[in-house]
Amino acid sequence: KLPHAKHKHEQFIISHFAGDVKYTVGFFVEKNRDKFPKAIEETFMHSSSPILSKAFKGFSKKNKNATVVKKFRNQIHMLIDTLESTKCSFIRCVKPNKEMTRCSSDNWFNRKYVTMQLRHMAVPQTAEVLQNGFPTRLPYSSLFEIYQNIMPPDAIQKWKTTGGGK
């Protein structure tokens, strides 16, 4: 979805399952150029949470000039590497109402709210694909076999050097 024409160079809108969210691009780098405060870095490094302590382990030694943006970029790259190395499955959760509470009354299930979430998660389109018998998951090797004749040589070489989906 596009923002209003007068804001198109500084904003973008993403339609999430819960509805549209407007993001402002301006000054992202400037706002996040600051370094992590030492006290916060120390707190995270010595956290009892394995996720936090692992994320900040050796951070100050390796990244003396690291900024919030650099840390964010590195974490995104680590996330992408993790996602690419695993077989991902997604669980779609649907909230019965905005408050996420079950009342004793019969109106706790908000049909309009649930329908909106299902549409944003592309459930009707997925059901249509499945109903028409199209495959929903193909191994990369099958896709490679189908499209290798039109793939650029560097993509074919990368496929072969990375083990070809094995």
Side-chain angles (χ1 to χ4, degrees):
K1 189 170 186 175
L2 297 174
H4 189 274
K6 72 179 184 176
H7 299 294
K8 70 180 181 179
H9 295 294
E10 56 196 42
Q11 293 179 345
F12 61 96
I13 298 172
I14 295 181
S15 294
H16 295 280
F17 71 92
D20 293 343
V21 178
K22 185 181 352 177
Y23 295 90
T24 302
V25 178
F27 306 111
F28 175 79
V29 173
E30 288 78 13
K31 282 193 239 176
N32 293 291
R33 195 177 297 272
D34 57 333
K35 305 230 186 304
F36 277 106
K38 193 70 176 165
I40 292 175
E41 186 180 323
E42 290 291 323
T43 301
F44 286 146
M45 283 174 48
H46 298 96
S47 170
S48 60
S49 165
I51 294 171
L52 285 177
S53 61
K54 183 178 178 185
F56 282 83
K57 185 177 181 183
F59 177 73
S60 59
K61 292 176 190 168
K62 292 184 214 168
N63 302 302
K64 289 191 178 191
N65 295 321
T67 62
V68 174
V69 173
K70 285 180 186 176
K71 180 72 174 167
F72 178 73
R73 185 185 66 216
N74 291 339
Q75 288 176 338
I76 290 295
H77 286 299
M78 286 175 18
L79 176 62
I80 290 170
D81 291 343
T82 301
L83 289 174
E84 287 178 345
S85 69
T86 61
K87 250 186 173 173
C88 293
S89 297
F90 295 95
I91 298 171
R92 294 180 171 130
C93 299
V94 179
K95 298 176 185 177
N97 55 53
K98 288 183 181 181
E99 295 79 28
M100 284 204 35
T101 58
R102 183 175 181 140
C103 308
S104 57
S105 66
D106 291 338
N107 64 351
W108 66 273
F109 187 86
N110 184 328
R111 183 180 294 267
K112 187 175 179 181
Y113 186 70
V114 169
T115 302
M116 180 193 68
Q117 292 175 77
L118 293 173
R119 284 194 179 125
H120 279 78
M121 290 189 289
V123 171
Q125 293 89 341
T126 303
E128 186 178 339
V129 166
L130 293 171
Q131 184 178 19
N132 291 325
F134 293 108
T136 57
R137 290 185 178 89
L138 289 173
Y140 291 128
S141 56
S142 297
L143 292 172
F144 179 77
E145 288 174 23
I146 294 168
Y147 295 106
Q148 69 179 330
N149 294 335
I150 60 171
M151 291 175 70
D154 59 327
I156 294 170
Q157 184 60 36
K158 181 156 182 143
W159 173 260
K160 290 178 180 176
T161 58
T162 58
K166 295 176 186 173

